[in-house]
Amino acid sequence: MNVLNITDQLPLVCETPLDLHFLAINAQEAAAAFIAAGTAANTVRSYRSALAYWSAWLQLRYGQALGAAALPSTVAVQFVVDHLARPTDDGGWVHLLPPTIDAALVAARVKAKLGPLAYNTVSHRLAVLGKWHRINGWDSPTEAPALKTLLREARKALSRQGVSVRKKTAIALEPLQALLATCTDGVRGVRDRALLLTAWSGGGRRRSEVVGLQVCDVRRLNADTWLYALGTTKTDTGGLRREKPLRGPAAQALAAWLEVAPAESGPLFRRLYKGGKVGTQGLSADQVARIVQRRAQLAGLDGDWAAHSLRSGFVTEAGRQGVPLGEVMAMTEHRSVTTVMGYFQAGSLLSSQASQLLGPAVGATTSAEKI
């Protein structure tokens, strides 16, 4: 496929001035479609920035508004070659986004800096565009075979050049234990220990799900078991309450937190103030990520840590311990087997006999201990 000849349906203009007021309204209207479809609020916030970028790029590149009609697949292909850098024969890298448009996107504050975007960022923005088309009842341009081939080849090219598609480091059992060992700093440590164990042991909860938990969502069955209820989540927008178990250390940690921070209602995990005073306001999703990162730093762990590390780590550890995939997905509520399998298989292979045909080296540290 010659990616330089892909604009046969819409001409490139590259000279359209960017109307920031129109950009904001256009992106907001697009985000409203997700809200009307019942998409979780935290997800809509993530999608809104992607839609703002699409709106700005379309104005500048094609002189076209987002939402006027379904976009052809050639536009999605152009988006990829504009934003993904590819290696050249002379050892350099090139992408097709004109410098004037790049600068305008940065000036409009929809792009952080000049230059190409990461593969994960491009993939996310294409996914948002595809979902937005489906919500509007249009054929998605992201389903075109040419686009999927281009993305596959782009990923291979990046891999051959030593550029990996970044994933957050999974918090399997050993890193989790290291994080928990830092939770000795009074009330803050009690809260963080309960939060980490609830999110991890409770099925690898997303950060939006953690901060959305209310005191009334948890109930104690016995000294070793609590149940917590999920309502609306990223993949289940029906609002039907589903209870998940917290057993052993997770149940004990939650009991300890509610003992030092008793409440009849309100957010389960709340902000702390000077002197360890517990407030009434709940944590934000970003604060959950910062708690993970802070504890990893205190534990001296190398890696790219985030709130998602708890979710991927739960699945990885379940694979290591041979938990059936169906039981894992019942806890995590993943809808897509493809999404969960990467982490699950990585964990299961660590305990596979096929990886130990030569036997462990004397005095060696196993791969599982390094996760």
Side-chain angles (χ1 to χ4, degrees):
M1 177 180 61
N2 185 353
V3 296
L4 298 178
N5 297 316
I6 59 175
T7 56
D8 54 338
Q9 296 188 42
L10 288 174
L12 298 174
V13 293
C14 304
E15 297 293 339
T16 303
L18 189 59
D19 184 337
L20 295 181
H21 178 68
F22 173 78
L23 169 61
I25 295 176
N26 194 221
Q28 185 62 36
E29 289 176 348
F34 285 100
I35 297 172
T39 307
N42 196 59
T43 303
V44 173
R45 285 192 291 271
S46 169
Y47 287 2
R48 187 177 288 115
S49 63
L51 292 167
Y53 192 90
W54 273 108
S55 181
W57 179 80
L58 279 169
Q59 284 187 58
L60 293 167
R61 203 66 162 114
Y62 289 100
Q64 177 173 323
L66 177 67
L71 296 175
S73 59
T74 51
V75 172
V77 173
Q78 183 70 53
F79 186 86
V80 172
V81 297
D82 269 7
H83 293 94
L84 275 187
R86 62 183 186 277
T88 58
D89 293 337
D90 61 3
W93 294 81
V94 64
H95 65 294
L96 299 186
L97 187 66
T100 53
I101 292 184
D102 203 3
L105 291 168
V106 173
R109 297 185 178 180
V110 296
K111 193 168 186 280
K113 60 182 180 180
L114 299 174
L117 298 178
Y119 183 93
N120 281 350
T121 303
V122 172
S123 296
H124 177 262
R125 289 182 178 164
L126 288 169
V128 172
L129 183 73
K131 289 181 180 180
W132 180 74
H133 272 71
R134 289 189 289 273
I135 284 175
N136 282 287
W138 299 332
D139 290 337
S140 172
T142 61
E143 295 300 317
L147 177 66
K148 292 183 176 181
T149 298
L150 176 60
L151 286 172
R152 185 167 58 250
E153 294 303 316
R155 188 164 187 166
K156 288 179 182 177
L158 291 170
S159 179
R160 285 193 294 268
Q161 297 296 318
V163 180
S164 61
V165 178
R166 189 180 69 177
K167 286 188 176 182
K168 299 300 180 183
T169 309
I171 297 178
L173 183 58
E174 290 81 2
L176 177 66
Q177 291 171 333
L179 266 59
L180 296 175
T182 71
C183 296
T184 56
D185 44 348
V187 177
R188 186 175 302 276
V190 174
R191 182 201 64 184
D192 290 0
R193 181 181 181 84
L195 184 150
L196 292 169
L197 281 169
T198 298
W200 193 92
S201 184
R205 300 271 59 93
R206 301 177 181 91
R207 59 183 184 171
S208 59
E209 296 164 2
V210 173
V211 300
L213 286 173
Q214 302 291 300
V215 173
C216 62
D217 291 329
V218 298
R219 62 188 181 96
R220 190 173 189 168
L221 290 185
N222 53 55
D224 197 50
T225 306
W226 285 65
L227 295 176
Y228 73 93
L230 285 175
T232 298
T233 65
K234 181 178 179 181
T235 54
D236 191 320
T237 58
L240 180 67
R241 287 167 63 87
R242 290 96 56 214
E243 288 191 319
K244 310 289 182 183
L246 291 172
R247 306 289 305 276
Q252 295 159 13
L254 182 59
W257 165 241
L258 289 175
E259 185 176 341
V260 300
E264 296 295 327
S265 62
L268 179 60
F269 295 111
R270 283 156 279 156
R271 298 186 183 185
L272 298 178
Y273 298 97
K274 189 174 181 179
K277 181 180 178 181
V278 181
T280 58
Q281 191 173 8
L283 297 172
S284 69
D286 287 342
Q287 285 173 315
V288 175
R290 288 197 289 271
I291 287 170
V292 172
Q293 292 161 356
R294 177 174 178 268
R295 293 296 171 184
Q297 185 178 24
L298 288 173
L301 298 179
D302 294 328
D304 189 7
W305 307 100
H308 187 73
S309 299
L310 294 165
R311 188 164 175 80
S312 59
F314 173 83
V315 177
T316 301
E317 185 60 35
R320 285 174 62 182
Q321 297 193 27
V323 180
L325 181 60
E327 293 183 21
V328 176
M329 294 182 67
M331 286 291 289
T332 64
E333 297 198 344
H334 275 100
R335 290 286 184 87
S336 168
V337 174
T338 303
T339 301
V340 74
M341 276 304 291
Y343 293 111
F344 186 82
Q345 288 178 333
S348 62
L349 287 174
L350 287 172
S351 58
S352 169
Q353 292 184 1
S355 66
Q356 303 177 57
L357 297 181
L358 292 175
V362 177
T365 303
T366 65
S367 298
E369 292 172 338
K370 295 180 179 178
I371 290 182

Short mmCIF file of all heavy atoms in Angstrom, two decimals, residues 251-299:
data_model
loop_
_atom_site.label_atom_id
_atom_site.label_comp_id
_atom_site.label_asym_id
_atom_site.label_seq_id
_atom_site.Cartn_x
_atom_site.Cartn_y
_atom_site.Cartn_z
N ALA A 251 -9.68 -8.15 53.32
CA ALA A 251 -10.79 -7.92 54.24
C ALA A 251 -10.30 -7.28 55.54
O ALA A 251 -10.92 -6.35 56.08
CB ALA A 251 -11.51 -9.23 54.52
N GLN A 252 -9.17 -7.78 56.04
CA GLN A 252 -8.62 -7.24 57.28
C GLN A 252 -8.15 -5.79 57.11
O GLN A 252 -8.35 -4.96 58.00
CB GLN A 252 -7.48 -8.13 57.74
CG GLN A 252 -7.91 -9.54 58.11
CD GLN A 252 -6.79 -10.56 58.08
OE1 GLN A 252 -5.61 -10.19 58.01
NE2 GLN A 252 -7.14 -11.84 58.11
N ALA A 253 -7.58 -5.48 55.96
CA ALA A 253 -7.11 -4.12 55.70
C ALA A 253 -8.28 -3.16 55.61
O ALA A 253 -8.22 -2.02 56.10
CB ALA A 253 -6.28 -4.09 54.42
N LEU A 254 -9.36 -3.58 54.97
CA LEU A 254 -10.54 -2.73 54.86
C LEU A 254 -11.16 -2.48 56.23
O LEU A 254 -11.56 -1.35 56.56
CB LEU A 254 -11.56 -3.36 53.92
CG LEU A 254 -12.84 -2.56 53.67
CD1 LEU A 254 -12.52 -1.19 53.09
CD2 LEU A 254 -13.79 -3.32 52.76
N ALA A 255 -11.21 -3.53 57.05
CA ALA A 255 -11.76 -3.39 58.41
C ALA A 255 -10.92 -2.41 59.22
O ALA A 255 -11.46 -1.58 59.97
CB ALA A 255 -11.82 -4.75 59.10
N ALA A 256 -9.60 -2.48 59.06
CA ALA A 256 -8.70 -1.58 59.80
C ALA A 256 -8.92 -0.13 59.36
O ALA A 256 -8.90 0.79 60.20
CB ALA A 256 -7.25 -2.00 59.58
N TRP A 257 -9.13 0.10 58.07
CA TRP A 257 -9.35 1.46 57.57
C TRP A 257 -10.67 2.03 58.11
O TRP A 257 -10.73 3.17 58.57
CB TRP A 257 -9.34 1.47 56.05
CG TRP A 257 -9.92 2.71 55.42
CD1 TRP A 257 -10.98 2.77 54.59
CD2 TRP A 257 -9.45 4.05 55.57
NE1 TRP A 257 -11.22 4.08 54.21
CE2 TRP A 257 -10.29 4.89 54.80
CE3 TRP A 257 -8.41 4.64 56.30
CZ2 TRP A 257 -10.13 6.26 54.72
CZ3 TRP A 257 -8.24 6.03 56.22
CH2 TRP A 257 -9.08 6.83 55.44
N LEU A 258 -11.72 1.23 58.10
CA LEU A 258 -13.01 1.72 58.57
C LEU A 258 -13.02 1.90 60.09
O LEU A 258 -13.84 2.64 60.63
CB LEU A 258 -14.12 0.75 58.14
CG LEU A 258 -14.43 0.77 56.64
CD1 LEU A 258 -15.44 -0.31 56.28
CD2 LEU A 258 -14.92 2.14 56.20
N GLU A 259 -12.09 1.24 60.77
CA GLU A 259 -11.97 1.44 62.21
C GLU A 259 -11.34 2.79 62.53
O GLU A 259 -11.76 3.48 63.46
CB GLU A 259 -11.15 0.30 62.83
CG GLU A 259 -11.08 0.37 64.35
CD GLU A 259 -10.34 -0.81 64.94
OE1 GLU A 259 -10.21 -1.84 64.25
OE2 GLU A 259 -9.91 -0.71 66.11
N VAL A 260 -10.31 3.19 61.76
CA VAL A 260 -9.66 4.47 62.02
C VAL A 260 -10.38 5.62 61.34
O VAL A 260 -10.17 6.78 61.70
CB VAL A 260 -8.17 4.45 61.57
CG1 VAL A 260 -7.41 3.37 62.30
CG2 VAL A 260 -8.05 4.29 60.06
N ALA A 261 -11.22 5.31 60.35
CA ALA A 261 -11.96 6.35 59.63
C ALA A 261 -13.43 5.95 59.49
O ALA A 261 -13.92 5.73 58.39
CB ALA A 261 -11.34 6.57 58.25
N PRO A 262 -14.12 5.82 60.63
CA PRO A 262 -15.52 5.36 60.57
C PRO A 262 -16.41 6.40 59.87
O PRO A 262 -16.20 7.60 59.98
CB PRO A 262 -15.90 5.21 62.05
CG PRO A 262 -14.97 6.14 62.78
CD PRO A 262 -13.69 6.12 62.01
N ALA A 263 -17.39 5.90 59.13
CA ALA A 263 -18.34 6.78 58.45
C ALA A 263 -19.59 5.98 58.13
O ALA A 263 -19.52 4.78 57.86
CB ALA A 263 -17.72 7.34 57.16
N GLU A 264 -20.73 6.65 58.17
CA GLU A 264 -22.00 6.00 57.84
C GLU A 264 -22.32 6.10 56.36
O GLU A 264 -23.09 5.31 55.82
CB GLU A 264 -23.13 6.67 58.65
CG GLU A 264 -23.01 6.48 60.15
CD GLU A 264 -23.14 5.03 60.57
OE1 GLU A 264 -23.90 4.30 59.90
OE2 GLU A 264 -22.47 4.64 61.54
N SER A 265 -21.72 7.10 55.69
CA SER A 265 -21.99 7.31 54.27
C SER A 265 -20.82 8.06 53.66
O SER A 265 -19.86 8.42 54.34
CB SER A 265 -23.29 8.11 54.09
OG SER A 265 -23.17 9.39 54.69
N GLY A 266 -20.91 8.28 52.34
CA GLY A 266 -19.86 9.01 51.65
C GLY A 266 -18.84 8.10 51.01
O GLY A 266 -18.96 6.86 51.05
N PRO A 267 -17.80 8.69 50.43
CA PRO A 267 -16.76 7.90 49.74
C PRO A 267 -16.06 6.94 50.70
O PRO A 267 -15.79 7.29 51.85
CB PRO A 267 -15.79 8.97 49.21
CG PRO A 267 -16.58 10.24 49.18
CD PRO A 267 -17.54 10.14 50.32
N LEU A 268 -15.76 5.76 50.21
CA LEU A 268 -15.06 4.78 51.04
C LEU A 268 -13.63 5.23 51.32
O LEU A 268 -13.16 5.15 52.46
CB LEU A 268 -15.06 3.42 50.34
CG LEU A 268 -14.35 2.27 51.05
CD1 LEU A 268 -14.98 2.00 52.42
CD2 LEU A 268 -14.38 1.00 50.20
N PHE A 269 -12.93 5.69 50.27
CA PHE A 269 -11.54 6.13 50.44
C PHE A 269 -11.49 7.65 50.34
O PHE A 269 -11.82 8.21 49.29
CB PHE A 269 -10.65 5.47 49.39
CG PHE A 269 -10.56 3.98 49.55
CD1 PHE A 269 -11.15 3.13 48.61
CD2 PHE A 269 -9.92 3.42 50.64
CE1 PHE A 269 -11.09 1.75 48.77
CE2 PHE A 269 -9.87 2.05 50.80
CZ PHE A 269 -10.45 1.21 49.86
N ARG A 270 -11.07 8.27 51.44
CA ARG A 270 -11.14 9.73 51.54
C ARG A 270 -9.77 10.37 51.67
O ARG A 270 -8.79 9.71 52.00
CB ARG A 270 -12.01 10.09 52.76
CG ARG A 270 -13.50 9.93 52.51
CD ARG A 270 -14.27 9.72 53.81
NE ARG A 270 -14.19 8.33 54.26
CZ ARG A 270 -14.35 7.96 55.52
NH1 ARG A 270 -14.53 8.87 56.47
NH2 ARG A 270 -14.27 6.69 55.85
N ARG A 271 -9.76 11.63 51.41
CA ARG A 271 -8.52 12.40 51.48
C ARG A 271 -8.09 12.59 52.93
O ARG A 271 -8.91 12.60 53.84
CB ARG A 271 -8.70 13.76 50.81
CG ARG A 271 -9.02 13.66 49.33
CD ARG A 271 -9.04 15.02 48.68
NE ARG A 271 -9.42 14.92 47.27
CZ ARG A 271 -9.42 15.93 46.42
NH1 ARG A 271 -9.07 17.14 46.83
NH2 ARG A 271 -9.77 15.75 45.17
N LEU A 272 -6.78 12.75 53.11
CA LEU A 272 -6.20 12.99 54.43
C LEU A 272 -5.58 14.38 54.47
O LEU A 272 -5.09 14.89 53.45
CB LEU A 272 -5.14 11.95 54.75
CG LEU A 272 -5.61 10.49 54.82
CD1 LEU A 272 -4.43 9.57 55.09
CD2 LEU A 272 -6.68 10.31 55.88
N TYR A 273 -5.60 14.95 55.65
CA TYR A 273 -5.04 16.29 55.83
C TYR A 273 -3.95 16.25 56.90
O TYR A 273 -3.65 15.19 57.46
CB TYR A 273 -6.15 17.27 56.18
CG TYR A 273 -7.18 17.39 55.09
CD1 TYR A 273 -8.37 16.66 55.14
CD2 TYR A 273 -6.95 18.18 53.97
CE1 TYR A 273 -9.30 16.74 54.12
CE2 TYR A 273 -7.87 18.27 52.94
CZ TYR A 273 -9.04 17.54 53.02
OH TYR A 273 -9.95 17.61 52.00
N LYS A 274 -3.37 17.38 57.18
CA LYS A 274 -2.25 17.45 58.11
C LYS A 274 -2.59 16.80 59.44
O LYS A 274 -3.69 16.97 59.97
CB LYS A 274 -1.87 18.93 58.33
CG LYS A 274 -0.58 19.12 59.11
CD LYS A 274 -0.20 20.59 59.16
CE LYS A 274 1.12 20.78 59.91
NZ LYS A 274 1.52 22.21 59.96
N GLY A 275 -1.64 16.03 59.93
CA GLY A 275 -1.84 15.34 61.19
C GLY A 275 -2.62 14.05 61.07
O GLY A 275 -3.05 13.47 62.07
N GLY A 276 -2.82 13.59 59.82
CA GLY A 276 -3.56 12.35 59.61
C GLY A 276 -5.06 12.47 59.77
O GLY A 276 -5.76 11.47 59.90
N LYS A 277 -5.57 13.71 59.72
CA LYS A 277 -7.01 13.92 59.85
C LYS A 277 -7.71 13.45 58.58
O LYS A 277 -7.33 13.80 57.48
CB LYS A 277 -7.30 15.40 60.10
CG LYS A 277 -8.79 15.69 60.27
CD LYS A 277 -9.03 17.17 60.51
CE LYS A 277 -10.53 17.46 60.65
NZ LYS A 277 -10.78 18.91 60.85
N VAL A 278 -8.75 12.65 58.76
CA VAL A 278 -9.50 12.11 57.63
C VAL A 278 -10.59 13.09 57.23
O VAL A 278 -11.41 13.50 58.06
CB VAL A 278 -10.13 10.75 57.97
CG1 VAL A 278 -10.88 10.18 56.77
CG2 VAL A 278 -9.06 9.78 58.45
N GLY A 279 -10.60 13.48 55.95
CA GLY A 279 -11.60 14.40 55.46
C GLY A 279 -12.86 13.67 55.02
O GLY A 279 -13.00 12.46 55.18
N THR A 280 -13.77 14.43 54.46
CA THR A 280 -15.03 13.86 53.97
C THR A 280 -15.02 13.71 52.45
O THR A 280 -15.86 13.01 51.89
CB THR A 280 -16.22 14.74 54.37
OG1 THR A 280 -16.02 16.07 53.85
CG2 THR A 280 -16.33 14.82 55.89
N GLN A 281 -14.08 14.37 51.80
CA GLN A 281 -14.03 14.34 50.33
C GLN A 281 -13.30 13.10 49.84
O GLN A 281 -12.27 12.69 50.40
CB GLN A 281 -13.33 15.59 49.82
CG GLN A 281 -13.45 15.80 48.32
CD GLN A 281 -12.88 17.16 47.89
OE1 GLN A 281 -12.28 17.86 48.69
NE2 GLN A 281 -13.08 17.50 46.63
N GLY A 282 -13.82 12.48 48.80
CA GLY A 282 -13.20 11.29 48.25
C GLY A 282 -11.95 11.59 47.44
O GLY A 282 -11.69 12.74 47.06
N LEU A 283 -11.17 10.57 47.19
CA LEU A 283 -9.98 10.69 46.35
C LEU A 283 -10.39 10.89 44.90
O LEU A 283 -11.46 10.46 44.47
CB LEU A 283 -9.11 9.45 46.47
CG LEU A 283 -8.52 9.13 47.84
CD1 LEU A 283 -7.85 7.76 47.81
CD2 LEU A 283 -7.51 10.20 48.25
N SER A 284 -9.51 11.51 44.12
CA SER A 284 -9.70 11.58 42.68
C SER A 284 -9.00 10.39 42.03
O SER A 284 -8.16 9.72 42.65
CB SER A 284 -9.11 12.88 42.12
OG SER A 284 -7.69 12.86 42.21
N ALA A 285 -9.33 10.13 40.77
CA ALA A 285 -8.69 9.03 40.05
C ALA A 285 -7.18 9.25 39.94
O ALA A 285 -6.40 8.31 40.07
CB ALA A 285 -9.31 8.89 38.66
N ASP A 286 -6.77 10.49 39.73
CA ASP A 286 -5.34 10.79 39.63
C ASP A 286 -4.63 10.52 40.95
O ASP A 286 -3.45 10.10 40.96
CB ASP A 286 -5.12 12.25 39.22
CG ASP A 286 -5.45 12.49 37.76
OD1 ASP A 286 -5.52 11.51 37.00
OD2 ASP A 286 -5.66 13.66 37.39
N GLN A 287 -5.30 10.73 42.07
CA GLN A 287 -4.67 10.48 43.37
C GLN A 287 -4.42 8.99 43.59
O GLN A 287 -3.46 8.61 44.25
CB GLN A 287 -5.54 11.06 44.49
CG GLN A 287 -5.44 12.58 44.57
CD GLN A 287 -6.42 13.17 45.56
OE1 GLN A 287 -7.59 12.80 45.60
NE2 GLN A 287 -5.95 14.10 46.38
N VAL A 288 -5.27 8.14 43.04
CA VAL A 288 -5.02 6.70 43.13
C VAL A 288 -3.73 6.35 42.42
O VAL A 288 -2.89 5.59 42.93
CB VAL A 288 -6.20 5.90 42.53
CG1 VAL A 288 -5.87 4.41 42.52
CG2 VAL A 288 -7.48 6.16 43.31
N ALA A 289 -3.54 6.92 41.23
CA ALA A 289 -2.29 6.68 40.49
C ALA A 289 -1.09 7.18 41.28
O ALA A 289 -0.05 6.51 41.34
CB ALA A 289 -2.36 7.37 39.13
N ARG A 290 -1.22 8.34 41.90
CA ARG A 290 -0.09 8.89 42.66
C ARG A 290 0.22 8.05 43.90
O ARG A 290 1.38 7.94 44.31
CB ARG A 290 -0.39 10.35 43.05
CG ARG A 290 -0.32 11.31 41.87
CD ARG A 290 -0.20 12.74 42.33
NE ARG A 290 -1.43 13.24 42.92
CZ ARG A 290 -2.41 13.83 42.24
NH1 ARG A 290 -2.31 13.95 40.93
NH2 ARG A 290 -3.49 14.29 42.85
N ILE A 291 -0.80 7.46 44.50
CA ILE A 291 -0.56 6.57 45.65
C ILE A 291 0.26 5.36 45.21
O ILE A 291 1.24 4.97 45.87
CB ILE A 291 -1.89 6.12 46.28
CG1 ILE A 291 -2.52 7.28 47.04
CG2 ILE A 291 -1.69 4.92 47.21
CD1 ILE A 291 -3.95 7.01 47.50
N VAL A 292 -0.09 4.77 44.08
CA VAL A 292 0.67 3.63 43.56
C VAL A 292 2.11 4.04 43.28
O VAL A 292 3.06 3.35 43.66
CB VAL A 292 0.00 3.08 42.28
CG1 VAL A 292 0.90 2.01 41.63
CG2 VAL A 292 -1.37 2.48 42.60
N GLN A 293 2.28 5.17 42.61
CA GLN A 293 3.63 5.63 42.25
C GLN A 293 4.45 5.98 43.49
O GLN A 293 5.65 5.65 43.55
CB GLN A 293 3.51 6.83 41.31
CG GLN A 293 2.95 6.47 39.94
CD GLN A 293 2.40 7.67 39.19
OE1 GLN A 293 2.35 8.79 39.71
NE2 GLN A 293 1.94 7.43 37.97
N ARG A 294 3.83 6.59 44.47
CA ARG A 294 4.55 6.95 45.70
C ARG A 294 4.99 5.71 46.45
O ARG A 294 6.14 5.62 46.90
CB ARG A 294 3.66 7.82 46.59
CG ARG A 294 4.30 8.19 47.93
CD ARG A 294 3.44 9.18 48.71
NE ARG A 294 4.04 9.50 49.99
CZ ARG A 294 3.77 8.85 51.13
NH1 ARG A 294 2.88 7.85 51.13
NH2 ARG A 294 4.36 9.20 52.25
N ARG A 295 4.12 4.74 46.56
CA ARG A 295 4.47 3.52 47.28
C ARG A 295 5.56 2.74 46.53
O ARG A 295 6.45 2.14 47.15
CB ARG A 295 3.23 2.65 47.48
CG ARG A 295 2.19 3.26 48.42
CD ARG A 295 2.73 3.41 49.83
NE ARG A 295 1.84 4.19 50.69
CZ ARG A 295 2.12 4.53 51.94
NH1 ARG A 295 3.27 4.18 52.50
NH2 ARG A 295 1.27 5.24 52.65
N ALA A 296 5.50 2.74 45.21
CA ALA A 296 6.54 2.06 44.43
C ALA A 296 7.89 2.74 44.62
O ALA A 296 8.93 2.08 44.73
CB ALA A 296 6.16 2.04 42.95
N GLN A 297 7.86 4.07 44.70
CA GLN A 297 9.11 4.82 44.92
C GLN A 297 9.66 4.53 46.32
O GLN A 297 10.87 4.31 46.50
CB GLN A 297 8.86 6.31 44.76
CG GLN A 297 10.11 7.16 44.86
CD GLN A 297 9.82 8.64 44.63
OE1 GLN A 297 8.71 9.11 44.83
NE2 GLN A 297 10.82 9.38 44.21
N LEU A 298 8.79 4.51 47.32
CA LEU A 298 9.23 4.21 48.68
C LEU A 298 9.79 2.80 48.78
O LEU A 298 10.73 2.54 49.54
CB LEU A 298 8.05 4.36 49.65
CG LEU A 298 7.58 5.79 49.94
CD1 LEU A 298 6.31 5.76 50.78
CD2 LEU A 298 8.67 6.59 50.65
N ALA A 299 9.23 1.89 47.98
CA ALA A 299 9.71 0.50 47.99
C ALA A 299 10.96 0.30 47.16
O ALA A 299 11.56 -0.78 47.18
CB ALA A 299 8.59 -0.42 47.48
#
